[in-house]
Amino acid sequence: DAGITQSPRYKITETGRQVTLMCHQTWSHSYMFWYRQDLGHGLRLIYYSAAADITDKGEVPDGYVVSRSKTENFPLTLESATRSQTSVYFCASSLQGLADQYGEQFFGPGTRLTVL
Amino acid sequence: GQQVMQIPQYQHVQEGEDFTTYCNSSTTLSNIQWYKQRPGGHPVFLIQLVKSGEVKKQKRLTFQFGEAKKNSSLHITATQTTDVGTYFCAAGKSTFGDGTTLTVKP
């Protein structure tokens, strides 16, 4: 009954380092999403994936890379971390995706990332 | 791109008072979703509205979708301390509003 998990839950890194945030879901949902949430703001979509090997950019993709070799995993990589990427990152999954009508999104617990 | 505006940004109420948050869009929405995020937690899906003028209720929560499908509201009757959190609307290509943060004074 794991659902959707994220690791690490907390991460401190330095400017310029590469960081990978992991997301794993056990429901076999087709769609997966990465969001960032900055203090006092809503969620902004970074990347999403409709299925394994299919990914697409969201609202704020610059500086991030994703991959989805397996349905259950959707890692997010910050190639060269910057201070502006300090944020809380949420992964989510859904049975349906970005069509006219899409299903509820199930969110992971989040990763709090600090870039020094 | 599509944007949704939520008002108010913050709402402080006495326990037992009602609360309403509004979500507005300049374009017609195909659907709208509402989520709740407790302090320190992650967003949790509450409901999805699809039809023009649709009204759905969940206990003390009432959700409405405007006739023109450009706005939506979430109304909580007789708030309780368990209602504390941030309420987000989401529409279109996973566009989230900035949320309304509700605090409830016992």
Side-chain angles (χ1 to χ4, degrees):
Chain A
D1 191 42
I4 183 164
T5 58
Q6 292 183 237
S7 62
R9 294 292 313 279
Y10 302 90
K11 177 72 177 179
I12 300 175
T13 191
E14 295 178 336
T15 302
R17 291 191 180 268
Q18 184 180 81
V19 178
T20 296
L21 310 183
M22 304 301 293
C23 179
H24 175 79
Q25 53 110 350
T26 60
W27 295 307
S28 298
H29 284 173
S30 298
Y31 290 86
M32 295 187 76
F33 310 84
W34 273 108
Y35 295 90
R36 61 176 290 172
Q37 184 175 38
D38 301 302
L39 192 64
H41 292 282
L43 298 111
R44 289 185 291 172
L45 183 64
I46 305 171
Y47 270 96
Y48 65 98
S49 168
D53 297 322
I54 301 175
T55 62
D56 208 346
K57 296 178 180 179
E59 181 186 353
V60 289
D62 293 345
Y64 303 95
V65 174
V66 293
S67 63
R68 194 159 177 215
S69 57
K70 294 183 178 181
T71 300
E72 60 267 29
N73 296 323
F74 191 37
L76 175 74
T77 297
L78 288 67
E79 294 185 297
S80 178
T82 65
R83 290 186 179 180
S84 63
Q85 292 178 310
T86 292
S87 187
V88 179
Y89 290 85
F90 287 102
C91 177
S93 70
S94 172
L95 278 171
Q96 296 168 274
L98 304 176
D100 283 337
Q101 295 184 20
Y102 59 103
E104 67 180 281
Q105 294 185 40
F106 296 85
F107 284 81
T111 294
R112 187 174 296 274
L113 176 68
T114 302
V115 182
L116 301 176
Chain B
Q2 186 171 63
Q3 288 187 331
V4 288
M5 304 296 293
Q6 264 188 273
I7 55 171
Q9 187 174 4
Y10 300 97
Q11 186 77 56
H12 311 284
V13 300
Q14 192 77 33
E15 189 172 20
E17 293 181 337
D18 292 356
F19 159 77
T20 305
T21 174
Y22 301 90
C23 185
N24 300 304
S25 171
S26 58
T27 60
T28 302
L29 304 172
S30 57
N31 64 348
I32 196 156
Q33 297 178 339
W34 285 93
Y35 291 80
K36 176 184 179 181
Q37 183 177 24
R38 295 182 183 274
H42 58 275
V44 175
F45 176 84
L46 293 176
I47 209 159
Q48 175 169 273
L49 305 173
V50 176
K51 299 177 183 177
S52 170
E54 189 171 13
V55 178
K56 287 188 176 180
K57 292 188 177 182
Q58 290 179 351
K59 297 183 180 179
R60 294 179 294 102
L61 278 61
T62 301
F63 303 84
Q64 291 189 330
F65 203 6
E67 292 291 340
K69 300 182 74 173
K70 289 186 176 182
N71 56 74
S72 180
S73 65
L74 158 58
H75 179 82
I76 302 178
T77 303
T79 55
Q80 300 175 357
T81 54
T82 54
D83 296 324
V84 164
T86 301
Y87 293 85
F88 294 99
C89 62
K93 288 186 176 292
S94 280
T95 301
F96 279 75
D98 283 345
T100 296
T101 298
L102 172 66
T103 56
V104 179
K105 186 176 181 181

